[in-house]
Amino acid sequence: MHDTSTTPPFPGRPAWIALNSHATEIKTRRLREFFDADKNRGTRLHLEAENLYFDYSKNRLTDETVRLLAQLARESRVEERRDAMFAGEHVNVSENRAVLHVALRLPHDATLNVDGVNVVAEVHQVLNRMADFARKIRSGEWRGHTNKPIRNVVNVGIGGSDLGPVMAYEALRHFSQRDLTFRFVSNVDATDIVEALHDLDAEETLFVISSKTFGTLETLTNATSARTWLVERLGDDSAVAKHFVAVSTNADKVAAFGIDVANMFEFWDWVGGRYSMESAIGLSTMIAIGPENFYELLAGSHAIDQHFLHAPIEENIPMLLGLIAIWNHDFLGFPTVGVMPYDQYLHRLPAYLQQLTMESNGKHVTQHGDHVTYETGPIYWGEPGTNGQHSFYQLIHQGTTIVPVDFIGFAKSLNPLGDHHDILMSNIFAQAQALAFGKSAEELRAEGAEERVIPHRVMEGNRPSNVLLAPELSPRVLGSLIALYEHSVFVQGAVWDIDSFDQWGVELGKQLSVKIIPELSSDVPLTHDSSTNALISYYRSHKQTGQS
Ligand code: G6Q
């Protein structure tokens, strides 16, 4: 494990102290001023790597800010920590594990030894098995119990075993095989599975049970109901063999559930749940878009991994995205980040990023277990544009809380239709512009606005945003975007000196309900706090009739 014991705590680092006083000055300055003073700011403060164009000029920062943020990263040993992660060291300290989602996208001729094993060979062995299986499903060669080809694929999983697959399927739907239907069941609310299955023919349906631990109650409950649904319709327990496959790290539990481990696709404890969409957890994605496109997704991530690994901090997009998030959150005091993809295919990206960012960096102690004295993970949220503009953007433009926004857009539409795409993209540019520069009383007067309403119509501006552009939403570009945010999260966690790779709060949730479940269907005396007792009593007395 890389030694961080000599690193002073985050607020004690010289760059942190310098950034704090620098922020006092920046808070008095305006984006308009910055742009007026430097006619080239918009081109100067941008970076390009792989297929991504990253414009960070509309942030409330100067060259000095970037210099100090880079110094902060160096003082926080972000580069050494990055190298330790890529080398397979146990950077997940509280779980004592390596963190190697980057190994999932290494080319097959690369080598990475972890605890004496070349993990790249294992990764490609599984990828080959996935590709073989995906081709059989896509071609109709794989037959169900009654000899019909599979036409429906249902991924059953939750959290990291759901959000990545559903996001990637939606994002890459354009590249998917259209005669296959994909459904994603995650919630233990029966409504989820009942609605997902109601129009499917069991003879043509494949379930992919995705669970790293194969011990997650929601997933096992849904998987059990799926099996009952299938066996009832096909009238034979042995039908499970042709209609169920598992994706997991836990072969024993897969076998105990009744899935033949020959139909299991493996991954490893060094792949965190929320970092697993490019492991076998991406099986549904690969079936949808085909192995070649899946390899493109991996290649896009790998290209950004290389950029992250080799570009100097000031020219490194994930470094700057992460450092700017710290700047906005810790120094300027903005509590959230809005992620607004201007692409309908990316409508699940904000939900995916919420888990990636908030489960990773929602931590209150350092790697050494000390309580932090600064803000860690900001709240990430968002919706696709332009829809959000007709709803919560009002607050972003004129509310009292400032929301830094990441806008994401593509130069070419996958569905060119009339002038839709120009209209869509004009909105990204206009929104970022309006947030930065606002609209003054003088401008409104010049437009003839009524004096009485001018205070209501003034836009103060000076509101920060990043704009990320790429030529087109391809599997490769999606892979790059995912790796970009993964590494931005890493940079933030490294500076904050927290463990971005554990999730004890999630584990707690998995245990808490287990005690209460049996109390809901019996009359055992309740021994919780008075509120919980009253709520359970209400539930018990109304659960049969549902009437008020
Ligand atoms: C991800 C989290 C969590 C996890 C789910 C599902 O990093 O640990 O979201 O992915 O709880 O866990 P299983 O895959 O083990 O069912």
Side-chain angles (χ1 to χ4, degrees):
M1 170 64 215
H2 173 70
D3 177 26
T4 57
S5 56
T6 53
T7 312
F10 177 44
R13 291 174 206 154
W16 189 87
I17 294 165
L19 278 162
N20 230 358
S21 57
H22 176 67
T24 314
E25 192 231 319
I26 291 291
K27 282 176 189 167
T28 66
R29 313 272 302 274
R30 303 192 59 79
L31 279 167
R32 256 182 207 259
E33 244 179 83
F34 294 150
F35 274 85
D36 287 345
D38 174 6
K39 296 293 174 210
N40 296 322
R41 181 179 169 98
T43 46
R44 223 166 42 74
L45 302 191
H46 100 277
L47 293 173
E48 288 179 62
E50 176 55 10
N51 279 314
L52 303 180
Y53 181 104
F54 173 56
D55 173 6
Y56 62 97
S57 64
K58 295 197 193 75
N59 283 285
R60 288 165 64 173
L61 50 73
T62 61
D63 293 348
E64 175 66 357
T65 323
V66 175
R67 191 188 68 73
L68 287 171
L69 286 170
Q71 186 188 327
L72 179 67
R74 290 194 179 95
E75 287 173 9
S76 311
R77 302 183 177 185
V78 172
E79 290 157 301
E80 288 96 316
R81 288 174 192 248
R82 171 201 63 195
D83 295 347
M85 174 175 77
F86 275 74
E89 289 183 32
H90 287 203
V91 297
N92 177 351
V93 285
S94 83
E95 295 183 310
N96 191 22
R97 282 180 186 167
V99 175
L100 274 177
H101 42 279
V102 294
L104 299 171
R105 46 248 192 170
L106 281 171
H108 67 92
D109 51 358
T111 307
L112 179 63
N113 286 313
V114 178
D115 306 324
V117 178
N118 177 14
V119 297
V120 183
E122 293 192 340
V123 164
H124 280 271
Q125 235 168 36
V126 175
L127 278 172
N128 289 342
R129 285 191 57 226
M130 288 166 64
D132 186 46
F133 181 71
R135 286 193 187 103
K136 284 185 179 146
I137 296 290
R138 289 164 64 85
S139 67
E141 185 187 335
W142 181 280
R143 296 280 161 161
H145 183 66
T146 57
N147 208 33
K148 285 194 173 177
I150 296 298
R151 285 288 157 257
N152 315 308
V153 177
V154 182
N155 186 75
V156 178
I158 197 164
S161 300
D162 168 69
L163 287 159
V166 70
M167 180 278 290
Y169 169 68
E170 293 292 338
L172 300 176
R173 208 176 181 142
H174 183 81
F175 301 88
S176 69
Q177 187 166 315
R178 298 292 186 157
D179 63 353
L180 293 175
T181 295
F182 289 82
R183 300 267 161 87
F184 297 84
V185 173
S186 56
N187 201 334
V188 75
D189 181 347
T191 299
D192 204 8
I193 190 160
V194 169
E195 287 293 341
L197 301 184
H198 88 279
D199 59 344
L200 300 188
D201 178 352
E203 292 179 86
E204 300 181 336
T205 300
L206 174 80
F207 291 95
V208 180
I209 312 299
S210 298
S211 175
K212 180 175 172 180
T213 55
F214 232 76
T216 305
L217 185 57
E218 291 94 325
T219 299
L220 291 185
T221 306
N222 276 322
T224 304
S225 297
R227 186 172 54 191
T228 306
W229 178 88
L230 184 96
V231 170
E232 269 174 17
R233 280 159 183 75
L234 301 189
D236 191 345
D237 272 341
S238 66
V240 169
K242 291 287 180 194
H243 294 266
F244 274 72
V245 296
V247 178
S248 186
T249 58
N250 195 330
D252 292 345
K253 287 196 175 169
V254 168
F257 180 82
I259 298 177
D260 186 346
V261 289
N263 291 337
M264 168 178 153
F265 298 87
E266 189 194 3
F267 64 114
W268 308 272
D269 71 356
W270 42 261
V271 183
R274 55 194 172 278
Y275 296 88
S276 66
M277 59 167 272
E278 294 179 333
S279 72
I281 289 289
L283 182 62
S284 57
T285 315
M286 193 194 264
I287 297 172
I289 63 174
E292 286 69 28
N293 280 323
F294 195 84
Y295 286 119
E296 278 292 296
L297 177 80
L298 300 181
S301 292
H302 179 66
I304 290 296
D305 294 343
Q306 292 302 304
H307 166 74
F308 180 51
L309 202 48
H310 299 297
I313 295 175
E314 295 83 348
E315 293 161 31
N316 192 309
I317 303 182
M319 288 277 190
L320 276 199
L321 187 64
L323 291 169
I324 289 169
I326 293 170
W327 169 245
N328 282 331
H329 191 45
D330 286 274
F331 297 99
L332 300 184
F334 307 145
T336 82
V337 180
V339 183
M340 313 299 171
Y342 276 60
D343 190 301
Q344 192 57 28
Y345 283 126
L346 290 183
H347 71 109
R348 295 290 290 168
L349 184 71
Y352 171 81
L353 290 181
Q354 269 186 329
Q355 181 188 28
L356 180 69
T357 57
M358 289 160 73
E359 196 168 82
S360 296
N361 285 339
K363 308 291 162 62
H364 72 290
V365 296
T366 66
Q367 296 211 6
H368 301 289
D370 302 320
H371 211 292
V372 298
T373 55
Y374 41 87
E375 292 292 327
T376 62
I379 296 162
Y380 277 76
W381 60 285
E383 278 288 321
T386 61
N387 295 12
Q389 289 174 212
H390 299 267
S391 132
F392 52 78
Y393 273 43
Q394 169 57 36
L395 184 148
I396 300 183
H397 282 290
Q398 288 190 305
T400 52
T401 295
I402 293 191
V403 180
V405 177
D406 288 355
F407 291 104
I408 301 171
F410 302 95
K412 186 163 181 284
S413 172
L414 292 172
N415 294 304
L417 179 64
D419 54 1
H420 282 244
H421 200 61
D422 286 348
I423 295 173
L424 176 72
M425 291 304 291
S426 70
N427 275 281
I428 285 204
F429 306 137
Q431 289 293 325
Q433 193 176 39
L435 285 172
F437 307 117
K439 191 151 206 175
S440 65
E442 293 68 43
E443 284 167 332
L444 286 162
R445 271 187 204 106
E447 285 174 11
E450 219 186 311
E451 201 59 34
R452 184 179 62 82
V453 296
I454 283 180
H456 300 278
R457 292 186 54 186
V458 164
M459 308 271 173
E460 290 172 345
N462 212 23
R463 297 180 179 224
S465 65
N466 292 309
V467 181
L468 268 163
L469 300 178
E472 183 172 68
L473 176 55
S474 62
R476 192 176 175 103
V477 164
L478 183 70
S480 296
L481 273 176
I482 297 309
L484 167 62
Y485 275 96
E486 284 173 349
H487 297 322
S488 159
V489 163
F490 176 87
V491 169
Q492 295 172 55
V495 169
W496 291 320
D497 192 25
I498 56 179
D499 188 337
S500 298
F501 301 106
D502 61 11
Q503 58 283 312
W504 296 103
V506 177
E507 309 299 337
L508 175 71
K510 290 186 182 185
Q511 293 150 17
L512 282 182
S513 69
V514 174
K515 180 174 181 319
I516 293 180
I517 293 167
E519 296 176 351
L520 300 185
S521 52
S522 76
D523 289 332
V524 288
L526 298 170
T527 55
H528 303 280
D529 61 275
S530 57
S531 164
T532 308
N533 287 348
L535 294 168
I536 293 175
S537 299
Y538 177 94
Y539 178 79
R540 279 174 173 176
S541 61
H542 288 77
K543 70 180 279 190
Q544 297 306 337
T545 62
Q547 288 165 5
S548 53

